[in-house]
Amino acid sequence: MRDPEKWEALPKRLPDWFRDSPLGIFIHWGPYSVPAWAEPTAELGAIDDDLGWFAHNPYAEWYFNTIRIEGSPAAEHHQEVHGGAPYDDFLDQWDASKFDAAQWADLFRRAGADYVVPTTKHHDGVTLWDAPGTGDRNTVARGPKRDLVGEIAKATTDAGLRFGVYYSGGLDWHVRPTEPLVSGEDVHDLKRPRDDEYGKYCSAHVRDLIDRYRPDVFWNDIGWPDENFHFEEGGLGELLEHFYSQRPEGLINDRFAGAHQDFATTEYQAGEIPEGEPWENCRGVGLSFGFNQVEDENQYLTGAQVVRHVVDAVSKGGRVLLNVGPRADGTLHELQVAALESLGEFMAEHKPALAGSRGLGELEIDGVNWARAVEKDDTCHLFLSGDAGEISVAAEDLPKGFAWPEGGLTVTLVGEGSAPVVVSAPTAG
């Protein structure tokens, strides 16, 4: 990277709104939502690349790549069901006639989210707005014939939520086609584009997103072309300067190949939680980000599981970017909606204890299957889950420094299928 002083001069931000946000909503929606198919194998991080993650990729949004891997279940499915049709046929078949951005935003707000981050361009290169240089390969010219980014942006801000944008800077299988990606090394090194021309193409897209839709999160993915790491016109450095100048409360993630970051990300079970740094875990309600018609209750998290996932992240100093994958027509799967509705019921009562709290982490308590704690406004909030029934919690098992009853607590748990029970105590003294 050239001009190290300029890179170091970029802001390092943790705005209050993001620091105090336990939850954001991710949206993966694209032509891949038409075939809506992936093999529901396992969460990222649960199986190794060597065992064939890419040939058995559970991410439906990777359909363009997976169907090109010879012998993969997706390739077989694509041939049997779609006759091996070109991927771009799905863009033309994409009918989003049931899409209601305001309805989505209302659900997200009721779920307790503070920000919403839709995919504006995934690795297939299709943009969900009429991005410069894309010709007719976008959702305004073809398929939905709508500015989907613009509609989501307006509905999100109208609902009082912050708007962000996901953009795939590291891969574009249309503009920079490659052989099928079959390993993590392919994705992050061997087969990703590095040239400045592609970097300027991406930079022009993101600048347009910034100027049109005023996002407060720039969520890049899979790195950025190496030759574009400069501050000249169209360079990544210049782009980030523009973003920070235009969005005084905006921040970026850590997926710029080490160029700069404001917060770190983990994905499903992959990645390490950074010590002393702001971070965010992203995952789908199911195993896929894009809608996968194969998934059912065996893959989707229940409302109680989503609640525990959010509380777990907050108790460890983070937050969750929880993904929904809409069907092509713009509707959300009933199990995704149910999970968000259940989360919303919990957050309506307990979000004030989570937002802006200090995480106290994971606890080991006899008789309790799952325990997490946070501190907020000189009060400890303890979240407990386990088999239904009354249990006694010994005083020595409780977080120290708070005014718990001398003999400990008696707590009635309501079972693993329900949200955690919450008990609180003020600071001792």
Side-chain angles (χ1 to χ4, degrees), residues 133-394:
T134 57
D136 69 350
R137 202 170 181 271
N138 60 67
T139 62
V140 175
R142 292 163 65 183
K145 301 287 182 67
R146 295 165 71 170
D147 177 0
L148 301 177
V149 176
E151 291 185 46
I152 297 170
K154 182 179 186 306
T156 296
T157 54
D158 285 352
L161 307 178
R162 299 275 180 163
F163 178 69
V165 294
Y166 166 106
Y167 185 86
S168 174
L171 295 173
D172 190 315
W173 298 321
H174 177 74
V175 173
R176 288 294 181 272
T178 69
E179 293 298 311
L181 307 176
V182 297
S183 70
E185 191 176 21
D186 278 353
V187 173
H188 297 287
D189 185 16
L190 299 180
K191 295 179 181 177
R192 66 176 178 84
R194 288 179 159 81
D195 61 288
D196 189 46
E197 181 183 13
Y198 172 63
K200 289 179 177 177
Y201 173 82
C202 294
S203 182
H205 283 185
V206 176
R207 179 177 280 266
D208 193 49
L209 289 169
I210 295 166
D211 294 345
R212 283 205 211 190
Y213 308 115
R214 305 179 64 76
D216 283 322
V217 180
F218 174 14
W219 211 103
N220 186 59
D221 203 9
I222 318 287
W224 196 268
D226 304 53
E227 294 178 12
N228 193 245
F229 281 31
H230 60 76
F231 284 80
E232 298 166 13
E233 184 177 357
L236 175 61
E238 184 209 39
L239 176 65
L240 295 183
E241 286 181 332
H242 181 69
F243 173 70
Y244 284 124
S245 70
Q246 296 300 306
R247 306 306 300 151
E249 292 190 294
L251 72 170
I252 70 169
N253 70 345
D254 61 343
R255 302 194 180 193
F256 291 87
H260 187 69
Q261 70 180 67
D262 293 309
F263 66 95
T265 59
T266 63
E267 186 169 329
Y268 284 91
Q269 299 182 36
E272 298 293 329
I273 295 174
E275 187 173 349
E277 295 285 335
W279 65 278
E280 170 194 82
N281 175 260
C282 67
R283 65 155 296 149
V285 179
L287 301 181
S288 176
F289 287 97
F291 175 62
N292 182 6
Q293 61 177 306
V294 180
E295 291 189 336
D296 57 23
E297 63 275 5
N298 294 304
Q299 287 78 38
Y300 281 121
L301 297 179
T302 64
Q305 289 172 321
V306 170
V307 168
R308 286 197 290 271
H309 189 68
V310 172
V311 173
D312 178 68
V314 175
S315 77
K316 297 170 182 175
R319 59 203 47 76
V320 172
L321 186 62
L322 183 67
N323 182 82
V324 295
R327 299 183 181 96
D329 66 6
T331 60
L332 296 173
H333 191 283
E334 294 74 16
L335 291 176
Q336 295 184 35
V337 174
L340 291 180
E341 294 280 13
S342 294
L343 176 60
E345 292 175 8
F346 179 85
M347 294 289 271
E349 182 176 357
H350 298 294
K351 183 180 176 181
L354 296 171
S357 64
R358 179 175 70 91
L360 300 179
E362 183 174 345
L363 305 175
E364 295 289 337
I365 298 178
D366 287 342
V368 176
N369 298 339
W370 185 95
R372 304 290 186 272
V374 302
E375 181 184 8
K376 173 77 176 292
D377 296 334
D378 297 322
T379 300
C380 177
H381 302 281
L382 182 60
F383 302 81
L384 305 172
S385 183
D387 298 332
E390 187 175 275
I391 64 162
S392 295
V393 180

